[in-house]
Amino acid sequence: DIDDVEDSIRETVYSKRIRLVEFFNQFDRLRSGIVTKSQMRQVLDSAGIRLSDSVFDALVQRYDASARAPNGVDWASFNRSIEKVFTEHELEKNPTAVVVPGTELVSRRVLDRTAPKSLNRQSDDAEVASILENLRSRVSAHNMLIKPTFQDFDPLRHGTVSKSQWGQVCSMLQLNLNERQRELLYQRYRHPTSSDFIYSKFLEDVDLAGTAS
């Protein structure tokens, strides 16, 4: 889903404080709001945003501007969409608008897309909160260090593991999570494009002693 791809890009630019407009302006000296497809690819690569060819093609198709310029992409519209992660665009024209913090905006959109459709969202959120609280208590009481176990599956320290590896970590650490609880947490911390489990965020939310070591 291309919306998931854009959410992933928003998450990247927010966490790394990347302003894509600075990259695009290098190719668009006349400020036309248009770049070529190859220039769009160069901007994303320079910003550290790696997309497969098929995903990239779907993204540029959404912002196709070939009617305005040969092989053109409307980077200005794309950038406005992505930079909503920082603030509401042209807030000065709408001073009463409520600006959603970037982290909340990203997480809200990702979770809305990845939450199990068959389950009640409000009930799920309450259940996840209870699961996390129980984990905090359990790990604190037993002085457990769980970050190293995740990192055994993540030698390059990307902060993610596969879904099956998430299940293995649960078993190895004896977290006492049943299948539904594991799935709820997986859905909560699932990466929107790779479907990996983002354990770095899981550790932040559980707020375990020693996770930063």
Side-chain angles (χ1 to χ4, degrees), residues 1-2 5 52-63:
D1 189 301
I2 199 64
V5 173
S52 67
D53 289 342
S54 60
V55 170
F56 175 75
D57 288 342
L59 181 66
V60 297
Q61 183 176 1
R62 169 173 284 189
Y63 296 98

Side-chain angles (χ1 to χ4, degrees), residues 4-116:
D4 290 342
V5 173
E6 289 198 12
D7 281 333
S8 178
I9 295 173
R10 290 187 187 98
E11 184 176 11
T12 298
V13 301
Y14 182 82
S15 62
K16 297 183 178 179
R17 309 304 295 178
I18 298 169
R19 305 312 294 260
L20 291 175
V21 64
E22 298 174 2
F23 293 92
F24 282 116
N25 282 339
Q26 295 178 27
F27 293 103
D28 186 18
R29 303 290 185 180
L30 300 179
R31 304 298 187 263
S32 65
I34 304 295
V35 294
T36 65
K37 183 176 178 180
S38 64
Q39 290 170 338
M40 178 80 164
R41 171 68 92 175
Q42 290 181 62
V43 166
L44 296 179
D45 287 346
S46 296
I49 299 169
R50 312 298 182 189
L51 302 178
S52 67
D53 289 342
S54 60
V55 170
F56 175 75
D57 288 342
L59 181 66
V60 297
Q61 183 176 1
R62 169 173 284 189
Y63 296 98
D64 177 70
S66 56
R68 297 165 56 189
N71 207 25
V73 180
D74 186 350
W75 75 260
S77 294
F78 166 73
N79 188 64
R80 281 195 294 272
S81 175
I82 297 303
E83 290 219 336
K84 287 180 180 179
V85 74
F86 293 108
T87 184
E88 187 67 26
H89 183 64
E90 296 182 336
L91 182 62
E92 65 276 8
K93 296 181 181 179
N94 186 19
T96 61
V98 176
V99 179
V100 180
T103 50
E104 181 180 344
L105 176 63
V106 169
S107 61
R108 180 190 301 173
R109 291 184 178 184
V110 171
L111 292 176
D112 282 344
R113 299 190 202 292
T114 60

Side-chain angles (χ1 to χ4, degrees), residues 196-213:
D196 284 344
F197 180 81
I198 309 175
Y199 74 81
S200 58
K201 291 189 175 181
F202 167 71
L203 295 178
E204 288 176 5
D205 287 351
V206 174
D207 195 24
L208 303 175
T211 57
S213 61

